[in-house]
Amino acid sequence: MTLLNGIGVCPGIAVGPLVRMPDPVPEPSAGPGQVTDKNAERSRISPAMEAVAAELRARAEKAKAETRAVLEATSYMAVDPGMMDLAITGVVERNLSAARAVFEAANTFRDMLAAAGGYIGARVADIEDVRDRIVAAVLGVPMPGIPDPGHPFILVARDLAPADTATVDPEKVLGFVTTEGGPTSHTAILARTLGVPAVVATEGALSLKEGTTVVLDGGAGTLNAAPTDAEVQDAEKRMAARRGAKKTWSGEGATSDGRRILLLANVGDPKSAKAGADAGAEGVGLFRTEFLFLDSAKEPTVAEQEEAYAGVFAAFPDGRKVVVRTLDAGADKPLAFLDQGEEPNPALGVRGVRVAFEDSGILDRQLQAISRAAERSSSDVWVMAPMIALASEAEWFSGKVREHGLKTPGVMVEVPAAALNAEQILGVTEFASIGTNDLAQYTLAADRMAGPLAALNDPWQPALLKLIGFTGEAGEKRGKTVGVCGEAASDPVLAVVLVGLGVTSLSMSSRALADVGELLRTVSYDDCKRLAQVALDAGEAQAAKAAVRAELPQLDELGL
Ligand code: PEP
Ligand code: MG
C-alpha cells in the first residue's frame, strides 16, 4: 500500500524527503535513592531551566508577531520559580534525580492547569513541551522540536505542539503529515495560517522510512509513500505552479457565470481584521468576540468592548459587511467572572447564547457596545448568536438585537436542530451562518477535539453536507443569506460544493481567500450544483471528496 489516506487540511502539493519529529524525551526513571551527591544534582536544575528559557526567547525573537507572545509566555513558564523550588525539593527531600524531579514538578503544574479547564487547560501541551525540553537539557539529549536537516523536507509527526509549530519555517518545511490531530487541531490551523500543504490523521505515516521521497497532496488528503519518477516530476510541476500562485485575493467572489459569492474573513480582534482586509476579504463573516472576555478576570466594560469592536469595524469601512458573533462562552470556554458550576457534558451544556437565557445582562451590555461602535463606523454591522437550536430562541435573540437599534440579526447554524428548523428560523431572523466545526461534531456525535474521531469530523461527511443543503434551500425559499463560517469554507474544492448547496457567502482564514476565489471563478453555478449532488451521493467523506476532485481537472493547474 503506497497511498496513505488522511484528512487534507491545507491544499497544495509537496514533494520531498520525509523527516520525522525527534522521538519524545523519555520519562526519567522514578525510583528514589539514585542520587549520591544531592548538591551536585540540585545544581543541574537551574542552568537547564535557564537554558531552555533562553532558547525559547531566542525563538520568540525570530517568530512572527502572532506566535511571539505564545513563545514568550512559554519562556517564563520554563523558569517559573515555583516549579524550580518544587524540583529542588524533589532532589533534596525525596532523593530524586534532577531529571525526575523536574519531570514531577512540571507535572504538578500541568495537572493544576488541566483542572482549571477551558483555555487555561489548553496550555497543558505548552507545559509538557517545556517539561520535556528541561529534562532533555538535564540529560544532555537532543531537544524535542522541529528538526533542521539543512534541506527542505516534509515533516512527519504524531501531532505538533504549539511551541513546535511557532517556529516552523515554510521555506524549509514543505508540508506536514501527522498521524493524529483533526480538521480543527492546532496543526491544521497552523498549516492554513502558513499556507503549507498538510494532511492529518494519516495512519501509518510514522512507520515510513526517514529520507524516503514522498508526495503529499493536501487537497486530496493523501500521502504517496512510493511515487514513481513520473509522479515525482508531476508533483514538482504542481508544487512550482502553486508557489507561483497568488497569495492575496483581489476583486469580488463569483462563479464563472457571475453568481456573486461574498468571500469574507474570520477574525478575532482588530489586528486580524486588518490582516483580513489586507488579504482581500470583502468583509468579515465571523468576528469571534470571545477573546475579549476569555482573557479577562472580570467582565470588560461597555466602553472597553466598544473600542475593540470599533477597531474591527475600522478595517472594513464604507458599507462593507462585518458579522459580529455574540459571546460564545460557557462549558469548554468558561468565563472567569461567571460561576456556571460543573457540567457533566460541557459540549451539550449551557454554552453560546444559552448562557443569556437565564440572565441576559452580559448579552445586553455586549449588544449595547456593538451598537455604539456601529454608530461610529460606516461598516454594515450584522449580529448573530451561537448555538441556536429553535426558532423561538432565534426570535428572542432577534428581538434583543433590534431593541439595541441593530438592524440585521441572525443565527449560527451549528446544532443539527437549527439546520432542520432553518425555514422557521429564517422566518424570524435575517440570515444564517453555518458553523461547520460544531455542526460536524454534533451531527456525527464526535468531539471536535478528539484525534481518534477526526475522520468523523471531516467536513466532507455527506450527512453534514445534507444539513447544509437543507439550510441553503431554506435560505433560497425565504430569500435570506446563508453563509458558511466554519473551517469547511477554507477548502477551495469543498467551497464549490457549498455554493452548489445554496450557500451565498464563505468566511474563512484570510490565507485561504485566494485559493477559494481562484477556483470558484473557474466553475459555473450549474456545475457547483452538479458537484454538490456528486458529493451528496457519495457514501463517505473521502469518496465524496475524491469524486468531486475527479471532476475538476483545473485543480492541477492551480496547484490545488
Ligand atoms: C463553528 O463551529 O464552525 C464555528 C465557526 O464556531 P467556533 O469554531 O468558534 O466554535
Ligand atoms: Mg462553533
Side-chain angles (χ1 to χ4, degrees), residues 325 328 333 351 386 412 414 435 437-438 448:
R325 175 174 76 186
D328 184 16
K333 303 179 198 168
R351 58 165 293 199
M412 286 196 76
E414 10 183 36
N437 309 336
D438 277 317
R448 65 194 257 188

Side-chain angles (χ1 to χ4, degrees), residues 458-500:
D458 188 329
W460 279 89
Q461 283 293 348
L464 175 67
L465 300 181
K466 282 175 193 157
L467 288 174
I468 296 172
F470 211 80
T471 313
E473 242 173 66
E476 275 163 20
K477 265 197 210 153
R478 294 274 187 194
K480 301 267 170 84
T481 300
V482 170
V484 167
C485 64
E487 292 301 324
S490 311
D491 173 342
V493 182
L494 186 50
V496 165
V497 168
L498 298 175
V499 169

Side-chain angles (χ1 to χ4, degrees), residues 496-515:
V496 165
V497 168
L498 298 175
V499 169
L501 292 170
V503 163
T504 54
S505 69
L506 297 163
S507 191
M508 63 202 82
S509 40
S510 301
R511 184 87 197 201
L513 288 160
D515 284 340

